[in-house]
Amino acid sequence: MNKHKARFPHLPDLRGTVPLALIFFVWALKGHEASGPLFQDASIGAVFDTGLDLVKSGALWENYRASLLRVVLGFAIGGSIGTAIGLLLGVSFWMDRLFGPLLTALRQIPIFGLVPLLGLWFGMGESAKLALVALAAFFPMALNTYESVRNLPTAYREVAALYRFKLLYRLRFVLVPYALPGVLTGLKLALSFAWISVIGAELFLSAAPGLGNLLEAGREQFRIDMIVLGILLVGGTGWAMNAAVTALERHLLRWRPAFS
Amino acid sequence: MAVSKIVQLPTANRARETHEPPSIAVARRHHATELVVRNVSKSFNIDRRPLPVLQDISLVAQPGQFITIVGASGCGKSTLLRLIAGLDRDFEGEILFGGRPVSGPSLDRGLVFQDHRLFPWLTIEQNIASAFSSRPIDTATKRLLVKDHIALVGLNGFEKAYPHQVSGGMAQRAAIARALVNEPDILLLDEPLGAVDALTRLYLQEELQRIWLQKGVTMIMVTHDIEEAVFLGDQVIVLQPRPGRISKVIDVGLTQPRDREDSRILKLKKEILGEFHNPAPINYSI
Ligand SMILES: Nc1ncnc2c1ncn2[C@@H]1O[C@H](COP(=O)(O)OP(=O)(O)OP(=O)(O)O)[C@@H](O)[C@H]1O
Ligand SMILES: [Mg+2]
């Protein structure tokens, strides 16, 4: 419960939009000047017109959809494997001893450093892109799940032992709720990394429909308006994904003092 | 363990069918539920050296008896309760419950921890219900049992509250309800009133006594408060620290409920206080 909410219980908190509005304001004022400071000849109007054109031709949706599909698929693969492996290592002492160091070592490699290797294994096409996105989602999910599960306090383990909770009950009503805050943090990071790596994969690997493709085309054709449009879409989508997980968090963690 | 669970089941069902108060149900299953602790010693390894925590503890709790344990901080009271509960099996000596050695936790032996240890993500109601998750009882019976026990500890209206939304004393009462909902034969209480203010404390002492009288359950309660120990206990066990050992056993010998101002209570209180000021020499060659 913050001050704003206490004072204006029915108004949404819009303070976070002020800096953004300022940027747009400056852009609207200065953007029309040829070789203006920010985006050269990309005035708000030009970007809007370009957007409209691309929507009409269907090109925008085609590219956008391709990127969204990649992030959803890649995240589903990498995120679920990551959660499973994090859970396994967190729960099992032996698995932790065997594979913990490997996981720690692998996480040190920057994801885009793996592009050449993935290219060798998967070619430069769609599967390599998906593999990159999956890997990007895998590590934050695996590591956050692992950490949260491993830290289950002895106090709760003892209550579970005292009342002789069965394995499934223990998982569902002790381990999962306890680990959930950490797992959700992992989810946020994983989605964000996956989205970044979708754009990266589209820029680094072979050309195919996608927002990265739109950005690249803008660069080739000296179309700043297209680039700016692409950036706005990438940023907006990332923001929306984060907002969605935050809303989910609010719902799932409503038992926490801070959320009620 | 499996046997005891099956034994408990008819109790719950019978209570539901006939709507008899739980106390009668409990009285009926009065069988051998004596607790015997015989020459129990326990040490922890600290910095690779053994630290003796309990030394040669022996006690017997008859079915339905109320035993209180007093002793300075760190003299091993919680450790002793954990051994009886079966949470720690690494000790010397013998702990028998109903004639059989304690080999792990069982629903027959309830424990209320020093901290309430409710799960913060479960409501009060769900926390209490979690206690019988491992027993095959039908949902209607479960609901009835939870409702009864919420009423027993006076938490009506807070069923759907999360632990952080209730006071410390209320959380502790919920923890007591969780421990009682399986109708254990013996309830171990580790300073259950340690975290509440003096007024609430007096009130909760009487609540505990009422529950004990109503349920007929054996209770072993650890406390720092000597008056509380004498007011509630049929027998008061005084522990001396380092290593924790029994320095005195006092049979109170007054019927319950009692009057706090009873001169005999005050006299016993003084006697126990004296025990703390001039510890009697311990005779190790018993
Ligand atoms: N898991 C443990 N590992 C090592 N030492 C322990 C452990 N648990 C307890 N001890 C030690 O055993 C001694 C007794 O602890 P215990 O918690 O039983 O005391 P207590 O009588 O319940 O004290 P209090 O009144 O403060 O709750 C303490 O000296 C403590 O340091
Ligand atoms: Mg203690």
Side-chain angles (χ1 to χ4, degrees):
Chain A
M1 181 75 61
N2 59 35
K3 256 196 206 154
H4 174 91
K5 220 171 164 191
R7 244 184 272 165
F8 315 106
H10 301 299
L11 294 179
D13 189 350
L14 293 177
R15 284 174 294 185
T17 60
V18 171
L20 211 62
L22 267 177
I23 290 177
F24 275 94
F25 183 68
V26 172
W27 187 13
L29 275 181
K30 295 280 185 184
H32 63 279
E33 294 169 12
S35 70
L38 285 176
F39 306 129
Q40 298 181 23
D41 54 350
S43 68
I44 285 191
V47 170
F48 187 77
D49 289 343
T50 309
L52 221 58
D53 284 349
L54 286 172
V55 168
K56 274 187 202 145
S57 71
L60 188 75
W61 176 236
E62 190 197 350
N63 284 309
Y64 193 37
R65 198 187 56 166
S67 290
L68 280 182
L69 223 69
R70 260 174 219 130
V71 78
V72 168
L73 224 70
F75 173 79
I77 298 168
S80 54
I81 297 177
T83 311
I85 288 191
L87 187 68
L88 208 65
L89 294 203
V91 171
S92 157
F93 178 79
W94 276 104
M95 285 293 186
D96 186 12
R97 280 297 139 101
L98 273 176
F99 297 109
L102 184 65
L103 190 70
T104 315
L106 287 178
R107 75 190 276 201
Q108 312 297 335
I109 305 171
I111 193 84
F112 290 116
L114 293 174
V115 167
L117 195 61
L118 289 177
L120 270 179
W121 286 346
F122 293 98
M124 295 299 274
E126 196 56 35
S127 32
K129 291 191 184 103
L130 278 181
L132 193 72
V133 179
L135 264 177
F138 170 83
F139 282 103
M141 273 326 279
L143 292 169
N144 276 281
T145 308
Y146 167 70
E147 285 294 336
S148 335
V149 166
R150 211 165 54 129
N151 289 333
L152 180 69
T154 317
Y156 294 144
R157 290 176 206 270
E158 284 183 350
V159 174
L162 194 67
Y163 293 107
R164 308 184 63 78
F165 289 175
K166 299 248 165 52
L167 181 69
L168 277 183
Y169 192 89
R170 214 177 267 243
L171 273 179
R172 175 149 176 236
F173 291 100
V174 183
L175 196 61
V176 169
Y178 175 78
L180 203 57
V183 173
L184 284 172
T185 305
L187 183 72
K188 264 188 201 173
L189 285 173
L191 265 178
S192 155
F193 285 11
W195 184 235
I196 290 168
S197 66
V198 164
I199 309 302
E202 288 166 357
L203 287 173
F204 288 139
L205 296 164
S206 71
L211 285 182
N213 189 48
L214 191 75
L215 290 170
E216 187 61 17
R219 192 182 65 84
E220 276 167 6
Q221 300 163 25
F222 298 104
R223 291 277 305 275
I224 298 287
D225 49 346
M226 256 165 81
I227 296 180
V228 172
L229 181 74
I231 290 173
L232 284 178
L233 272 176
V234 172
T237 308
W239 178 85
M241 291 193 306
N242 196 58
V245 181
T246 304
L248 184 73
E249 207 172 35
R250 243 169 230 290
H251 175 71
L252 290 176
L253 303 184
R254 60 189 179 283
W255 52 268
R256 282 178 140 195
F259 284 113
S260 61
Chain B
M1 235 64 49
V3 177
S4 62
K5 255 184 270 167
I6 295 163
V7 171
Q8 282 204 341
L9 259 177
T11 315
N13 287 337
R14 204 169 47 226
R16 185 173 69 103
E17 281 157 19
T18 59
H19 291 286
E20 62 189 9
S23 55
I24 298 176
V26 171
R28 249 201 236 170
R29 76 169 164 180
H30 218 305
H31 44 79
T33 53
E34 188 187 52
L35 174 80
V36 178
V37 175
R38 199 177 287 150
N39 308 115
V40 164
S41 297
K42 158 92 190 164
S43 34
F44 285 111
N45 279 323
I46 290 186
D47 203 13
R48 285 200 223 105
R49 260 181 294 162
L51 170 82
V53 169
L54 291 174
Q55 184 177 295
D56 202 22
I57 303 281
S58 297
L59 64 91
V60 175
Q62 305 290 349
Q65 203 178 13
F66 201 137
I67 292 184
T68 51
I69 300 178
V70 287
S73 182
C75 71
K77 305 180 296 292
S78 297
T79 306
L80 178 61
L81 289 196
R82 291 165 52 80
L83 296 184
I84 299 173
L87 285 174
D88 189 341
R89 270 165 275 178
D90 178 23
F91 62 91
E92 287 157 46
E94 231 182 350
I95 300 180
L96 303 172
F97 185 67
R100 272 177 307 181
V102 164
S103 62
S106 151
L107 299 183
D108 298 340
R109 279 168 282 123
L111 170 64
V112 178
F113 291 94
Q114 203 162 349
D115 43 342
H116 60 73
R117 295 204 190 174
L118 298 175
F119 295 113
W121 48 83
L122 298 183
T123 61
I124 297 295
E125 191 176 59
Q126 291 169 330
N127 263 294
I128 296 173
S130 75
F132 42 48
S133 68
S134 67
R135 290 169 62 196
I137 327 173
D138 62 277
T139 325
T141 314
K142 281 186 182 177
R143 207 170 296 148
L144 200 81
L145 278 170
V146 170
K147 203 167 153 264
D148 280 355
H149 284 82
I150 281 185
L152 186 75
V153 296
L155 283 177
N156 309 61
F158 291 93
E159 292 85 352
K160 305 271 188 269
Y162 286 101
H164 79 265
Q165 294 170 321
V166 303
S167 74
M170 288 160 81
Q172 200 55 270
R173 274 186 275 164
I176 293 173
R178 176 173 69 178
L180 278 172
V181 79
N182 280 313
E183 316 229 294
D185 298 311
I186 185 166
L187 184 62
L188 310 163
L189 298 143
D190 195 352
E191 288 184 47
L193 312 182
V196 300
D197 63 272
L199 277 176
T200 315
R201 195 179 178 109
L202 293 186
Y203 164 71
L204 287 181
Q205 284 172 4
E206 271 148 44
E207 286 294 283
L208 263 181
Q209 189 168 59
R210 183 179 59 75
I211 292 168
W212 172 67
L213 288 168
Q214 186 177 332
K215 292 246 162 195
V217 55
T218 315
M219 285 196 180
I220 299 185
M221 173 167 147
V222 160
T223 174
H224 273 140
D225 184 337
I226 296 173
E227 183 188 304
E228 180 171 289
V230 182
F231 177 64
L232 291 173
D234 292 323
Q235 186 176 70
V236 183
I237 294 178
V238 184
L239 291 187
Q240 287 291 330
R242 253 158 287 164
R245 58 210 187 271
I246 296 179
S247 76
K248 202 171 180 73
V249 177
I250 293 160
D251 287 304
V252 176
L254 299 171
T255 52
Q256 309 221 33
R258 298 165 180 160
D259 176 9
R260 280 177 204 282
E261 304 300 320
D262 190 319
S263 62
R264 287 168 296 182
I265 294 241
L266 298 177
K267 195 173 148 262
L268 282 173
K269 202 177 134 183
K270 230 181 226 164
E271 188 183 333
I272 294 170
L273 257 174
E275 194 64 27
F276 281 100
H277 289 307
N278 339 292
I282 306 295
N283 184 2
Y284 287 103
S285 55
I286 295 174

